[in-house]
Amino acid sequence: MKNRLFPLLAICAVLASSLACAEPAALATTTTRLGISATTFSCSGTGSCHYLLLNSLCQERMLDGATKERSCRYTEAARFRLLPGQKKTVANLPADYLYGMKMNGDPSAQDVLNAPVPH
């Protein structure tokens, strides 16, 4: 096995100055996969339960004076209605999703942001 690799290593050594054997570097990009969860929602009221789930994309930056600023953009992940006694499992949710529930009517994104249900 060593004898087979030696010619390849020799060629890479000769061509190293032109980076022909080097893998492309992506030093400016980092991708991290955050926790993914599944949540089961249910309705145990006398009317229908309306759910709105929001994904959040937040960015932080440092300002002068070591103050941190955070800005978030929210997108709708799911919207659904359950009747009393029904359950629904939603998978592939990011760990930091937000949701709200309103009886007999659709919650707005502002409703969810003002009073998210803890999970």
Side-chain angles (χ1 to χ4, degrees):
M1 184 72 162
K2 280 185 176 180
N3 292 338
R4 290 184 195 165
L5 290 177
F6 184 74
L8 181 59
L9 293 174
I11 292 171
C12 283
V14 170
L15 297 176
S17 63
S18 67
L19 298 175
C21 293
E23 291 188 28
L27 299 176
T29 320
T30 302
T31 303
T32 304
R33 185 179 175 101
L34 301 175
I36 301 294
S37 65
T39 303
T40 301
F41 301 90
S42 62
C43 185
S44 60
T46 56
S48 58
C49 302
H50 297 253
Y51 285 92
L52 174 59
L53 285 63
L54 300 177
N55 287 329
S56 59
L57 177 61
C58 298
Q59 296 180 339
E60 294 181 349
R61 67 181 183 143
M62 294 299 290
L63 302 174
D64 294 337
T67 303
K68 190 184 286 187
E69 178 184 77
R70 180 178 177 142
S71 62
C72 298
R73 189 176 70 219
Y74 299 93
T75 58
E76 187 174 308
R79 182 183 293 269
F80 55 90
R81 178 178 68 111
L82 297 176
L83 298 175
Q86 285 184 319
K87 292 183 179 183
K88 177 180 177 91
T89 300
V90 180
N92 297 323
L93 293 169
D96 62 345
Y97 76 94
L98 302 173
Y99 81 94
M101 190 276 294
K102 191 173 182 181
M103 296 298 293
N104 300 318
D106 288 329
S108 68
Q110 196 60 50
D111 292 335
V112 175
L113 295 174
N114 289 341
V117 177
H119 59 89

